[in-house]
């Protein structure tokens, strides 16, 4: 039996991001990478709280998650204009 773990990442974005459009871009990468379930909470469109539902024994590598997140922004067309400041 796998034990679940919650990873939380927070970031400020320098550009406004449409949450629905971002989710479409994210889902393309998620299907390709087989990533765990992720919840995004966009606050005022420029701050995002991300909850990753991973396993306690196999959490998502932080650097890899941030790379995949940046790629989704790039796919959306707001990168590289959108700077990501991880909190």
């Amino acid at each position: 039996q796998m034990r679940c773990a919650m990873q939380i990442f927070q970031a400020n974005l320098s550009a406004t991001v449409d949450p629905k459009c971002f989710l479409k871009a994210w889902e393309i990468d998620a299907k390709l990478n087989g990533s765990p379930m992720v919840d995004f909470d966009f606050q005022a469109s420029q701050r995002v709280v991300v909850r990753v539902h991973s396993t306690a024994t196999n959490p998502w590598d932080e650097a890899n998650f941030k790379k995949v997140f940046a790629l989704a922004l790039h796919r959306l067309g707001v990168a590289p204009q959108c700077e990501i400041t991880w909190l």
Side-chain angles (χ1 to χ4, degrees):
Q1 179 178 355
M2 288 196 290
R3 293 180 37 218
C4 293
M6 180 80 65
Q7 293 175 271
I8 299 175
F9 301 100
Q10 295 184 53
N12 288 330
L13 308 174
S14 66
T16 300
V17 173
D18 181 311
K20 289 180 184 178
C21 292
F22 176 82
L23 289 175
K24 287 180 184 177
W26 177 264
E27 288 171 2
I28 291 169
D29 289 323
K31 287 177 184 175
L32 293 174
N33 297 324
S35 58
M37 189 173 100
V38 181
D39 296 319
F40 296 94
D41 180 14
F42 284 89
Q43 303 168 350
S45 298
Q46 289 187 305
R47 181 179 179 119
V48 62
V49 177
V50 185
R51 291 174 182 82
V52 178
H53 303 268
S54 56
T55 63
T57 57
N58 192 23
W60 195 342
D61 176 71
E62 183 175 346
N64 181 260
F65 167 79
K66 290 176 179 180
K67 179 181 177 184
V68 173
F69 184 87
L71 286 173
L73 284 178
H74 183 73
R75 184 182 306 280
L76 186 59
V78 296
Q81 305 92 308
C82 181
E83 293 182 21
I84 305 167
T85 303
W86 294 100
L87 307 175

